Amino acid sequence: EKEANDNNNATASLEFAIARAEHLTARRPLLLNHVLLKQNPHNVGQWLHRAELYQQQQQQPNNDNNKQMAIATLRESLTKVYAPKAVNGAPSELVLELAKLYETDNEKMFERVRDFYREICIDVTYEFTKTADLASCWSAWIEFELRHEQWDQALSLARQSVAKNNNNEKHQTKRNRRMKQPLYRSIQLWDLLLDLEESLGTVQTTRDSYNYAMELKVATPVQVYNYANFLQDKKYWEDSFAILERGLSEEMFGTTNAEANHLLWKFYLESFLTRYDGGSKLERVRELFRRCYAAVKDDSVVAEFYLLHAKFEEQYGLSKRALQVYKALCQRTKNDFTTYQLYATKTIQYLGVTAARDVYQEAIAVIQDDDCCSRLCLEFAKLEAYRLNELDRARKIMSYGAQMANPATYSEYWK
């Protein structure tokens, strides 16, 4: 009997030791994470990992409170992580993850999440150093309201987020203490507000929001484009053109912003030609194209504007003016075989084959690139031989072009 009791005690001790070992093994990730957070409490990634570990344990039996432990962990992280020292992630990730946990908690979920966002965004209980972090929290709050179909509240919050004085003086001072850029200059929030205004607001409130963004000089070229497009959809054509003029002014984006110039000028010209189809505003269109050529400095993209202008002149203007546009295009984009070939083709179409001689001769005299020049000589020689039957002139042209045609790279010339 004594031996049996000893065996039972030994078995119980072994089972207890195994249980302790299993428990320690299960807690190992949390213990290791605790050590890492002791070493650096500003490690955002480790705080998020700790909350994730608690959530993974929630599926195990007798662990129903682990979700609350995850929430408590993220709450604690907001008191421990100092934004200027945050590493391995942005502090806003802690806020968004905590809001997500609140949202999946059925008990008084809606008001709980709303109060939490109000603490972060309006009461400023956590001080961010980067505007993008606070903007992400505002965006998450607005999207939360949208998910629950609180349309008016979402639109009101979007307007409040970019207002210059959206809080009392104390909170505004606290917010801007460490952030280098004010919240109302956040492109993320402006994009969200303008999208909501177009979807949920009125025409007037949408215009007011776009105008306010342009007054603050925070509007991007894409936003100006969207504003003009919105006005055109509502049939405010002249107002749309006025906005494009404003967007193309030096005060808005300057003259060196190639992206803005290209995007807005292309939309402006295409819209204007669509609105006044039939050439009813000839001189105004020509003036717009002249301004466009002066504003767009990038020769690699300016060709499409010349081609649009030439097409307009061919349809509603004079062929002589169209040829002048093609000539100007060739002068702007030097060493471009395609543009000179197009100029020659249009000259033949409107003035005849012999008139193309001047085009080819001028091109050969101006072009500095040997490959392009030799290709033009070949085209010129074909014109003289096959269409004008001037074989002697064709031979002289081929002889001249042979000085620049490399047999290794342009074997067609020597066939």
Side-chain angles (χ1 to χ4, degrees):
E1 182 179 351
K2 182 179 180 180
E3 184 178 354
N5 290 335
D6 291 342
N7 289 335
N8 290 336
N9 291 335
T11 302
S13 298
L14 178 61
E15 291 178 352
F16 180 70
I18 292 174
R20 287 185 63 186
E22 290 176 348
H23 179 67
L24 182 62
T25 302
R27 294 188 62 224
R28 181 181 178 279
L30 282 171
L31 294 174
L32 178 60
N33 175 265
H34 179 72
V35 172
L36 294 175
L37 287 175
K38 280 287 186 180
Q39 293 175 351
N40 184 5
H42 309 291
N43 192 323
V44 174
Q46 288 300 326
W47 282 108
L48 293 171
H49 182 56
R50 188 172 185 82
E52 183 182 357
L53 290 174
Y54 279 123
Q55 293 180 76
Q56 290 173 355
Q57 291 181 0
Q58 184 183 358
Q59 300 176 358
Q60 300 175 6
N62 301 322
N63 282 299
D64 295 335
N65 66 331
N66 279 325
K67 184 172 185 179
Q68 298 304 319
M69 292 293 294
I71 292 175
T73 295
L74 292 175
R75 270 290 186 184
E76 182 184 3
S77 70
L78 293 176
T79 64
K80 296 292 182 65
V81 175
Y82 182 50
K85 295 183 179 180
V87 295
N88 195 21
S92 60
E93 295 179 39
L94 299 172
V95 174
L96 301 184
E97 183 63 24
L98 181 52
K100 181 180 176 182
L101 289 177
Y102 280 148
E103 191 171 353
T104 56
D105 190 1
N106 293 327
E107 184 182 357
K108 298 181 180 179
M109 173 271 297
F110 188 82
E111 288 301 326
R112 192 179 189 185
V113 177
R114 179 178 282 180
D115 290 342
F116 173 63
Y117 277 126
R118 186 177 293 108
E119 291 176 11
I120 296 295
C121 300
I122 297 180
D123 297 336
V124 200
T125 56
Y126 185 88
E127 290 187 58
F128 295 103
T129 56
K130 295 182 180 178
T131 306
D133 284 330
L134 187 55
S136 296
C137 295
W138 274 99
S139 298
W141 188 5
I142 295 167
E143 290 167 2
F144 165 77
E145 299 288 351
L146 291 173
R147 282 196 298 274
H148 294 85
E149 300 183 357
Q150 302 295 314
W151 316 120
D152 294 339
Q153 178 70 8
L155 184 56
S156 176
L157 287 172
R159 291 169 179 166
Q160 184 179 355
S161 67
V162 297
K164 264 193 169 183
N165 298 311
N166 56 358
N167 290 299
N168 61 46
E169 186 176 352
K170 176 183 175 181
H171 288 159
Q172 191 70 17
T173 303
K174 186 177 180 182
R175 167 179 296 172
N176 292 335
R177 186 180 300 166
R178 292 191 177 89
M179 290 198 306
K180 296 181 179 179
Q181 187 180 37
L183 188 64
Y184 68 83
R185 302 194 71 83
S186 170
I187 301 302
Q188 178 184 356
L189 291 178
W190 274 109
D191 282 338
L192 183 55
L193 170 62
L194 297 174
D195 284 344
L196 291 178
E197 286 286 7
E198 290 194 30
S199 303
L200 305 174
T202 64
V203 173
Q204 188 57 49
T205 60
T206 303
R207 296 185 67 169
D208 290 342
S209 295
Y210 273 114
N211 287 331
Y212 186 45
M214 295 182 73
E215 286 175 10
L216 295 176
K217 296 184 179 179
V218 298
T220 64
V222 174
Q223 289 172 350
V224 175
Y225 172 93
N226 290 337
Y227 186 15
N229 191 43
F230 170 79
L231 291 173
Q232 290 181 20
D233 289 341
K234 303 300 180 183
K235 306 304 180 185
Y236 295 103
W237 289 94
E238 287 300 329
D239 289 346
S240 170
F241 298 148
I243 292 301
L244 290 170
E245 288 281 358
R246 189 175 169 188
L248 289 166
S249 64
E250 293 185 16
E251 293 78 13
M252 198 66 198
F253 302 114
T255 58
T256 58
N257 193 326
E259 177 188 359
N261 281 334
H262 178 255
L263 174 69
L264 298 182
W265 272 115
K266 182 178 180 180
F267 183 65
Y268 191 3
L269 292 169
E270 291 177 347
S271 301
F272 198 90
L273 294 178
T274 300
R275 175 67 181 90
Y276 297 109
D277 188 23
S280 59
K281 301 283 185 179
L282 273 174
E283 290 306 318
R284 189 174 170 186
V285 171
R286 288 167 181 163
E287 177 61 26
L288 285 177
F289 276 111
R290 283 193 290 268
R291 289 174 52 203
C292 174
Y293 300 147
V296 179
K297 307 296 183 182
D298 190 353
D299 292 343
S300 62
V301 300
V302 76
E304 63 178 307
F305 297 116
Y306 279 98
L307 294 176
L308 186 64
H309 186 188
K311 181 179 178 181
F312 171 78
E313 293 290 354
E314 288 181 68
Q315 289 180 333
Y316 307 113
L318 301 173
S319 58
K320 180 180 178 181
R321 283 186 176 273
L323 292 176
Q324 289 174 350
V325 175
Y326 285 117
K327 183 178 180 179
L329 170 62
C330 293
Q331 293 172 346
R332 182 76 181 264
T333 58
K334 296 179 180 178
N335 299 327
D336 189 345
F337 170 76
T338 305
T339 56
Y340 277 104
Q341 189 179 42
L342 177 62
Y343 181 26
T345 301
K346 292 295 182 179
T347 302
I348 293 172
Q349 178 181 345
Y350 294 118
L351 301 181
V353 178
T354 55
R357 284 175 170 170
D358 293 337
V359 176
Y360 281 112
Q361 289 173 356
E362 180 183 348
I364 293 170
V366 170
I367 291 178
Q368 302 295 324
D369 183 71
D370 289 346
D371 181 64
C372 180
C373 192
S374 60
R375 292 174 66 187
L376 280 172
C377 287
L378 181 59
E379 293 294 323
F380 191 10
K382 289 180 179 179
L383 177 76
E384 293 287 353
Y386 300 141
R387 304 193 66 173
L388 297 175
N389 201 27
E390 293 283 352
L391 298 180
D392 290 338
R393 288 176 61 89
R395 291 191 189 97
K396 291 179 181 179
I397 294 169
M398 291 294 291
S399 177
Y400 177 79
Q403 303 174 58
M404 295 164 284
N406 188 344
T409 58
Y410 194 23
S411 58
E412 182 182 354
Y413 191 92
W414 299 91
K415 290 181 180 179

